[in-house]
Amino acid sequence: MHNKLIHFIKVSITVYIFYMFLYALWYFLHVMDFANLRVENEWAGSLLFLPHGARVLMVCFFRYYSIPALYLAEITGPSYVNHDAYMVTYAYGYSFAALGCILAVVASVEIVKWSRAAEGKFSLFKPVNFKNYKFLFLVIVISSLLSGIVCNSIISILNDNMNIDVLVVLRFMIGDFLGSIAVLFAMWIIFSTLVETRLVISPND
């Protein structure tokens, strides 16, 4: 019990810091708007939402231990990084939408595991071993689709005055997908470089 608690605390700290770092980085790029894609004061969705990559990686590798810290980061990120400038200030129910996005990733992991496991052998409570990037890619694709639908459905239900159409949902899906791919690619470069320089020992060695 003590070891599990220590593990949970360490995972929570790791997850929270990782998500907040990606959120801060995304917000900086969002504000700078190098590609001139930002829509001012509208619930339009980002075309490169890096934090979704944190959702995917943390849920895949830390499983249900990551969920509390992910949710905490989701609802505190806008408050700490961009207190009054983010869409959360005028989109009622963002905290519910954020939870929906996390659960969309959880559901995606379960779908991928279920599609490759024998009956009774799949569960979020059992370890996931993503040795092949194909598994992560499938989770990214499915979770991006689900997250875009779930998040905007919740926001549209709780905000009658907001006009959320198919293009907005599609923008969310694309943003989550491209953001996750960017994070995955960056992590691959970082860790492959560390392994090549022997700063990190590959588990295959």
Side-chain angles (χ1 to χ4, degrees), residues 109-124:
V109 172
E110 289 301 302
I111 290 172
V112 173
K113 290 169 64 179
W114 173 81
S115 66
R116 299 186 59 82
E119 184 177 356
K121 297 295 184 181
F122 56 91
S123 170
L124 183 66

mmCIF file of all heavy atoms in Angstrom, residues 109-124:
data_model
loop_
_atom_site.group_PDB
_atom_site.id
_atom_site.type_symbol
_atom_site.label_atom_id
_atom_site.label_comp_id
_atom_site.label_asym_id
_atom_site.label_seq_id
_atom_site.Cartn_x
_atom_site.Cartn_y
_atom_site.Cartn_z
ATOM 1 N N VAL A 109 -7.750 3.955 -25.469
ATOM 2 C CA VAL A 109 -6.795 2.938 -25.040
ATOM 3 C C VAL A 109 -7.492 1.595 -24.894
ATOM 4 O O VAL A 109 -6.988 0.553 -25.344
ATOM 5 C CB VAL A 109 -6.132 3.332 -23.703
ATOM 6 C CG1 VAL A 109 -5.290 2.183 -23.161
ATOM 7 C CG2 VAL A 109 -5.273 4.575 -23.890
ATOM 8 N N GLU A 110 -8.679 1.607 -24.294
ATOM 9 C CA GLU A 110 -9.421 0.365 -24.115
ATOM 10 C C GLU A 110 -9.839 -0.240 -25.455
ATOM 11 O O GLU A 110 -9.818 -1.457 -25.626
ATOM 12 C CB GLU A 110 -10.651 0.621 -23.243
ATOM 13 C CG GLU A 110 -10.323 0.883 -21.779
ATOM 14 C CD GLU A 110 -9.567 -0.279 -21.162
ATOM 15 O OE1 GLU A 110 -10.077 -1.420 -21.174
ATOM 16 O OE2 GLU A 110 -8.449 -0.057 -20.680
ATOM 17 N N ILE A 111 -10.213 0.609 -26.405
ATOM 18 C CA ILE A 111 -10.600 0.113 -27.727
ATOM 19 C C ILE A 111 -9.426 -0.565 -28.417
ATOM 20 O O ILE A 111 -9.559 -1.658 -28.988
ATOM 21 C CB ILE A 111 -11.139 1.275 -28.597
ATOM 22 C CG1 ILE A 111 -12.488 1.753 -28.063
ATOM 23 C CG2 ILE A 111 -11.271 0.841 -30.060
ATOM 24 C CD1 ILE A 111 -13.005 2.999 -28.736
ATOM 25 N N VAL A 112 -8.256 0.061 -28.343
ATOM 26 C CA VAL A 112 -7.063 -0.513 -28.970
ATOM 27 C C VAL A 112 -6.674 -1.816 -28.285
ATOM 28 O O VAL A 112 -6.342 -2.810 -28.936
ATOM 29 C CB VAL A 112 -5.893 0.495 -28.938
ATOM 30 C CG1 VAL A 112 -4.609 -0.154 -29.442
ATOM 31 C CG2 VAL A 112 -6.224 1.712 -29.785
ATOM 32 N N LYS A 113 -6.722 -1.833 -26.957
ATOM 33 C CA LYS A 113 -6.388 -3.050 -26.216
ATOM 34 C C LYS A 113 -7.385 -4.161 -26.513
ATOM 35 O O LYS A 113 -7.020 -5.312 -26.703
ATOM 36 C CB LYS A 113 -6.350 -2.745 -24.720
ATOM 37 C CG LYS A 113 -5.190 -1.876 -24.296
ATOM 38 C CD LYS A 113 -5.345 -1.388 -22.886
ATOM 39 C CE LYS A 113 -5.337 -2.516 -21.881
ATOM 40 N NZ LYS A 113 -5.468 -2.020 -20.496
ATOM 41 N N TRP A 114 -8.659 -3.801 -26.555
ATOM 42 C CA TRP A 114 -9.703 -4.791 -26.819
ATOM 43 C C TRP A 114 -9.561 -5.394 -28.210
ATOM 44 O O TRP A 114 -9.792 -6.584 -28.409
ATOM 45 C CB TRP A 114 -11.073 -4.136 -26.685
ATOM 46 C CG TRP A 114 -12.194 -5.029 -27.111
ATOM 47 C CD1 TRP A 114 -12.797 -6.029 -26.397
ATOM 48 C CD2 TRP A 114 -12.851 -5.019 -28.383
ATOM 49 N NE1 TRP A 114 -13.778 -6.625 -27.130
ATOM 50 C CE2 TRP A 114 -13.835 -6.029 -28.361
ATOM 51 C CE3 TRP A 114 -12.705 -4.238 -29.537
ATOM 52 C CZ2 TRP A 114 -14.668 -6.284 -29.446
ATOM 53 C CZ3 TRP A 114 -13.534 -4.491 -30.622
ATOM 54 C CH2 TRP A 114 -14.496 -5.496 -30.569
ATOM 55 N N SER A 115 -9.135 -4.596 -29.156
ATOM 56 C CA SER A 115 -9.031 -5.063 -30.531
ATOM 57 C C SER A 115 -7.882 -6.046 -30.722
ATOM 58 O O SER A 115 -7.829 -6.765 -31.718
ATOM 59 C CB SER A 115 -8.835 -3.873 -31.486
ATOM 60 O OG SER A 115 -7.593 -3.246 -31.245
ATOM 61 N N ARG A 116 -6.965 -6.114 -29.743
ATOM 62 C CA ARG A 116 -5.797 -6.981 -29.880
ATOM 63 C C ARG A 116 -5.655 -7.997 -28.748
ATOM 64 O O ARG A 116 -4.666 -8.699 -28.666
ATOM 65 C CB ARG A 116 -4.516 -6.140 -29.938
ATOM 66 C CG ARG A 116 -4.452 -5.186 -31.102
ATOM 67 C CD ARG A 116 -3.104 -4.517 -31.169
ATOM 68 N NE ARG A 116 -2.022 -5.481 -31.302
ATOM 69 C CZ ARG A 116 -1.655 -6.030 -32.454
ATOM 70 N NH1 ARG A 116 -2.279 -5.719 -33.572
ATOM 71 N NH2 ARG A 116 -0.657 -6.890 -32.485
ATOM 72 N N ALA A 117 -6.632 -8.080 -27.863
ATOM 73 C CA ALA A 117 -6.497 -8.960 -26.703
ATOM 74 C C ALA A 117 -7.586 -10.012 -26.703
ATOM 75 O O ALA A 117 -8.662 -9.832 -27.266
ATOM 76 C CB ALA A 117 -6.567 -8.157 -25.405
ATOM 77 N N ALA A 118 -7.299 -11.132 -26.052
ATOM 78 C CA ALA A 118 -8.293 -12.187 -25.917
ATOM 79 C C ALA A 118 -9.357 -11.745 -24.926
ATOM 80 O O ALA A 118 -9.152 -10.847 -24.114
ATOM 81 C CB ALA A 118 -7.627 -13.476 -25.436
ATOM 82 N N GLU A 119 -10.501 -12.389 -24.976
ATOM 83 C CA GLU A 119 -11.609 -12.007 -24.115
ATOM 84 C C GLU A 119 -11.219 -12.129 -22.645
ATOM 85 O O GLU A 119 -10.659 -13.126 -22.205
ATOM 86 C CB GLU A 119 -12.816 -12.907 -24.403
ATOM 87 C CG GLU A 119 -14.054 -12.515 -23.619
ATOM 88 C CD GLU A 119 -15.239 -13.361 -23.979
ATOM 89 O OE1 GLU A 119 -15.114 -14.204 -24.886
ATOM 90 O OE2 GLU A 119 -16.298 -13.186 -23.348
ATOM 91 N N GLY A 120 -11.507 -11.077 -21.884
ATOM 92 C CA GLY A 120 -11.222 -11.083 -20.461
ATOM 93 C C GLY A 120 -9.814 -10.659 -20.111
ATOM 94 O O GLY A 120 -9.448 -10.607 -18.953
ATOM 95 N N LYS A 121 -8.996 -10.337 -21.112
ATOM 96 C CA LYS A 121 -7.601 -10.006 -20.859
ATOM 97 C C LYS A 121 -7.304 -8.514 -20.958
ATOM 98 O O LYS A 121 -6.170 -8.107 -20.830
ATOM 99 C CB LYS A 121 -6.694 -10.758 -21.852
ATOM 100 C CG LYS A 121 -6.763 -12.268 -21.734
ATOM 101 C CD LYS A 121 -6.243 -12.746 -20.390
ATOM 102 C CE LYS A 121 -6.231 -14.272 -20.332
ATOM 103 N NZ LYS A 121 -5.748 -14.756 -19.022
ATOM 104 N N PHE A 122 -8.313 -7.709 -21.219
ATOM 105 C CA PHE A 122 -8.049 -6.292 -21.384
ATOM 106 C C PHE A 122 -8.723 -5.488 -20.286
ATOM 107 O O PHE A 122 -9.833 -5.756 -19.900
ATOM 108 C CB PHE A 122 -8.535 -5.797 -22.756
ATOM 109 C CG PHE A 122 -9.982 -6.059 -23.006
ATOM 110 C CD1 PHE A 122 -10.942 -5.112 -22.668
ATOM 111 C CD2 PHE A 122 -10.384 -7.247 -23.564
ATOM 112 C CE1 PHE A 122 -12.285 -5.364 -22.895
ATOM 113 C CE2 PHE A 122 -11.721 -7.497 -23.797
ATOM 114 C CZ PHE A 122 -12.681 -6.558 -23.464
ATOM 115 N N SER A 123 -7.988 -4.519 -19.779
ATOM 116 C CA SER A 123 -8.523 -3.638 -18.754
ATOM 117 C C SER A 123 -7.568 -2.467 -18.572
ATOM 118 O O SER A 123 -6.360 -2.618 -18.712
ATOM 119 C CB SER A 123 -8.674 -4.378 -17.420
ATOM 120 O OG SER A 123 -8.972 -3.462 -16.384
ATOM 121 N N LEU A 124 -8.132 -1.311 -18.246
ATOM 122 C CA LEU A 124 -7.287 -0.148 -17.975
ATOM 123 C C LEU A 124 -6.421 -0.383 -16.748
ATOM 124 O O LEU A 124 -5.402 0.255 -16.559
ATOM 125 C CB LEU A 124 -8.162 1.099 -17.770
ATOM 126 C CG LEU A 124 -7.405 2.414 -17.559
ATOM 127 C CD1 LEU A 124 -6.632 2.790 -18.828
ATOM 128 C CD2 LEU A 124 -8.353 3.537 -17.194
#
